[in-house]
């Protein structure tokens, strides 16, 4: 008997004709996620995948639970399709389970069998009850409870027999690469990495854009964004990070435009530059970490004025989220601890004392005419550094 990992995927079942396309993407992403584990084998079967030939089970499970499109995974024993061999695996698996539980009190269980291979001589009812009998005999702590058991022993008779008693939730969503590409405006804050994660979860490939205001923002601030991006790649695969020099634009706006409008003006420049980069990268939408009312630049009026700067759709997956909920996701995906490092952000340096919270588009557009926007944008895009992560 051999230890394998069974991978289930869900939503892609729904895709009818497109199913092979989704499965192929998922297969590729699984292989990529496991590239650090030598000799590991990824095997495609009807409606699922199996991982074989691994030694670091915990490591492989951890990597798999970050692959979008996977609904759940189960470590399983793969055995011959022979009752005694299956029963032996079941007894062993329950022994390990009881050891992990500790103590010596009673534990309730049930057996669930599925027989995809109809040539197997027992039907699933018979198989379940006979296995139940074997387990009761082998472990006297076990008692049967078919309605609310503490543990369910599953047996599937397919190309081989598979025995497992654990199902670990996966990341869900859809395989990255199945829903086009979008450009994430990635700051060093808590919100934008979470926004990127949420859109990538829907199968969208990411390219990232960061605005850097050297020397007002340090190399450490840039390193921080690189680290955040690396964290995201554990979920969404390779990301091209564009680091845009933003200092000159900020200084010109600072010198020429009303102080109270600075934040909104900067946000519009960011959007325009991100749109240019998106076009170059074949990205069809922009992503930001904005949420209504969180700061002055995120009132509905500000969002409308920011949006007007571009024609690509802007995805704001956090728009209705409270900060605490965003923080919780950031913690779960491992970006929080990087985001809270105290390196200054380009926006905080040029933050006006009294920012407009209800900007008027006509006034903002009039202020924009005070600088040579086209040239500034051209120059910033031209001097953008690309880092492949
Ligand atoms: P975050 O935590 O993502 O920084 P925030 O609550 O601080 O968000 P703002 O600073 O108003 O909000 O930024 C709103 C959004 O604009 C960010 O979520 C991000 O998408 C984008 N953004 C802000 N600053 C930058 C930057 N320096 N580089 C790239 N994108 C940025
Ligand atoms: Mg910010």
């Amino acid at each position: 008997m051999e230890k394998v990992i069974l991978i289930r995927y869900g939503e892609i079942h729904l895709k009818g004709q497109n199913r092979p396309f989704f499965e192929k993407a998922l297969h590729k992403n699984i292989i990529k996620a496991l590239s650090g584990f030598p000799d590991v084998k990824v095997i495609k079967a009807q409606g699922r995948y199996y991982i074989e030939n691994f030694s670091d089970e915990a490591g492989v499970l951890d990597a798999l639970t970050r692959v979008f499109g996977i609904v759940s995974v189960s470590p399983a024993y793969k055995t011959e399709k022979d009752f005694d061999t299956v029963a032996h695996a079941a007894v062993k698996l329950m022994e390990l389970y009881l050891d992990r539980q500790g103590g010596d009190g009673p534990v309730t269980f049930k057996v669930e069998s599925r027989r995809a291979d109809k040539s197997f001589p027992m039907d699933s009812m018979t198989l379940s009850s006979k296995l139940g009998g074997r387990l009761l005999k082998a472990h006297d702590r076990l008692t049967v409870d078919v309605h609310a058991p503490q543990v369910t022993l599953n047996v599937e008779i397919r190309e081989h027999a598979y025995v497992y008693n654990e199902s670990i939730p996966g990341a869900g969503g859809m395989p990255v690469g199945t829903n086009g590409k979008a450009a994430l405006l990635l700051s060093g804050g808590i919100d934008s990495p979470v926004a990127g994660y949420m859109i990538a979860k829907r199968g969208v490939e990411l390219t990232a854009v960061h605005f850097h205001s050297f020397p007002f923002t340090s190399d450490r601030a840039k390193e921080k964004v690189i680290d955040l991006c690396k964290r995201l790649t554990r979920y969404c695969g390779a990301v091209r990070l564009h680091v845009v020099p933003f200092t000159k634009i900020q200084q010109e706006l600072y010198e020429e435009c009303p102080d109270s409008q600075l934040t909104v003006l900067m946000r519009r420049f960011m959007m325009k530059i991100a749109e240019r980069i998106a076009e170059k990268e074949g990205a069809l939408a922009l992503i930001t970490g904005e949420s209504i009312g969180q700061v002055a630049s995120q009132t509905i009026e500000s969002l409308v004025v920011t949006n007007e700067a571009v024609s690509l759709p802007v995805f704001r997956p956090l728009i209705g989220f409270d900060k605490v909920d965003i923080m919780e996701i950031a913690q779960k995906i491992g970006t929080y601890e990087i985001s809270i490092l105290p390196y200054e952000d380009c926006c905080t340096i040029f933050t006006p004392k009294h920012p407009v919270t209800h900007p008027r588009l006509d006034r903002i557009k009039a202020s924009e005419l005070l600088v040579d926007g086209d040239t500034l944008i051209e120059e910033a895009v031209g001097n953008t550094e690309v880092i492949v992560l």
Side-chain angles (χ1 to χ4, degrees):
M1 97 191 161
E2 182 191 351
K3 202 71 189 280
V4 301
I5 294 169
L6 187 170
I7 299 176
R8 298 179 197 81
Y9 49 89
E11 212 166 331
I12 46 188
H13 280 306
L14 306 173
K15 289 290 164 181
Q17 304 262 35
N18 285 332
R19 193 165 144 179
F21 168 67
F22 287 85
E23 286 177 337
K24 224 176 260 171
L26 180 59
H27 196 161
K28 206 174 87 194
N29 294 347
I30 292 171
I31 291 171
K32 260 193 247 162
L34 299 182
S35 60
F37 301 90
D39 304 328
V40 96
K41 271 202 251 164
V42 182
I43 293 157
K44 172 148 179 37
Q46 188 60 36
R48 55 177 53 188
Y49 291 91
Y50 294 105
I51 307 298
E52 295 187 0
N53 210 33
F54 51 86
S55 49
D56 179 6
E57 180 180 319
V60 170
L61 285 172
D62 182 54
L64 288 175
T65 50
R66 283 195 298 267
V67 177
F68 293 132
I70 293 180
V71 170
S72 65
V73 294
S74 291
Y77 280 127
K78 171 180 156 185
T79 75
E80 299 295 308
K81 286 187 275 189
D82 155 72
F83 178 75
D84 283 323
T85 319
V86 169
H88 176 70
V91 167
K92 177 77 192 160
L93 209 57
M94 286 307 239
E95 181 187 319
L96 295 173
Y97 174 82
L98 293 170
D99 283 351
R100 278 204 307 275
Q101 295 301 300
D104 53 9
V107 169
T108 58
F109 83 108
K110 76 169 172 183
V111 179
E112 246 173 40
S113 307
R114 235 172 304 159
R115 187 180 58 145
D117 172 6
K118 301 292 178 207
S119 72
F120 188 74
M122 274 176 218
D123 65 19
S124 31
M125 288 270 278
T126 316
L127 179 57
S128 291
S129 75
K130 288 190 78 171
L131 273 177
R134 283 282 181 101
L135 287 168
L136 287 169
K137 210 182 284 173
H139 301 297
D140 50 17
R141 287 175 67 189
L142 289 179
T143 59
V144 175
D145 179 348
V146 291
H147 299 297
Q150 284 165 276
V151 54
T152 300
L153 190 283
N154 295 273
V155 181
E156 296 186 9
I157 309 288
R158 297 171 171 256
E159 344 52 268
H160 301 274
Y162 296 93
V163 187
Y164 57 89
N165 63 0
E166 196 185 1
S167 187
I168 303 161
M174 307 183 92
V176 170
T178 57
N179 277 321
K181 196 195 275 187
L184 168 67
L185 283 87
L186 181 64
S187 71
I190 292 169
D191 305 329
S192 42
V194 174
Y197 165 86
M198 288 181 68
I199 297 298
K201 186 173 175 187
R202 296 308 304 163
V204 177
E205 194 185 329
L206 300 183
T207 191
V209 183
H210 176 68
F211 297 90
H212 188 52
S213 313
F214 193 78
F216 301 106
T217 56
S218 63
D219 281 337
R220 297 292 293 277
K222 182 169 138 188
E223 286 300 322
K224 175 179 167 181
V225 173
I226 292 174
D227 287 345
L228 280 173
C229 228
K230 280 191 193 148
R231 277 293 151 102
L232 283 179
T233 64
R234 302 198 306 173
Y235 292 93
C236 62
V239 172
R240 284 160 60 82
L241 169 65
H242 300 78
V243 182
V244 183
F246 204 50
T247 318
K248 188 164 170 196
I249 291 174
Q250 286 177 303
Q251 280 173 325
E252 294 244 338
L253 292 172
Y254 186 73
E255 274 156 32
E256 307 298 335
C257 305
D259 195 61
S260 64
Q261 296 177 348
L262 275 182
T263 308
V264 177
L265 288 165
M266 286 192 300
R267 308 268 317 113
R268 281 174 60 91
F269 269 90
M270 284 187 184
M271 298 299 271
K272 286 182 195 174
I273 292 169
E275 183 172 59
R276 289 280 301 275
I277 292 171
E279 277 159 9
K280 276 195 188 181
E281 292 282 314
L284 300 180
L286 305 179
I287 307 166
T288 75
E290 289 158 315
S291 133
I292 295 175
Q294 201 189 72
V295 288
S297 58
Q298 294 174 26
T299 60
I300 289 200
E301 290 88 342
S302 300
L303 290 171
V304 168
V305 171
T306 306
N307 223 50
E308 199 274 344
V310 290
S311 52
L312 283 184
V314 182
F315 297 158
R316 298 180 172 90
L318 307 180
I319 198 74
F321 276 51
D322 291 346
K323 192 79 185 184
V324 284
D325 300 328
I326 300 170
M327 282 158 62
E328 197 177 300
I329 302 175
Q331 259 150 355
K332 189 184 87 184
I333 66 174
T335 53
Y336 183 78
E337 69 224 44
I338 304 173
S339 292
I340 57 172
L341 295 173
Y343 309 122
E344 64 296 331
D345 178 78
C346 70
C347 294
T348 39
I349 289 160
F350 289 89
T351 300
K353 276 199 195 70
H354 304 288
V356 279
T357 48
H358 306 284
R360 275 179 44 183
L361 186 59
D362 55 344
R363 292 191 185 154
I364 296 294
K365 284 189 145 180
S367 296
E368 259 171 4
L369 295 175
L370 302 172
V371 298
D372 181 359
D374 289 345
T375 308
L376 285 169
I377 289 172
E378 202 65 49
E379 211 179 308
V381 172
N383 291 327
T384 292
E385 176 192 4
V386 182
I387 303 169
V388 181
L389 298 164

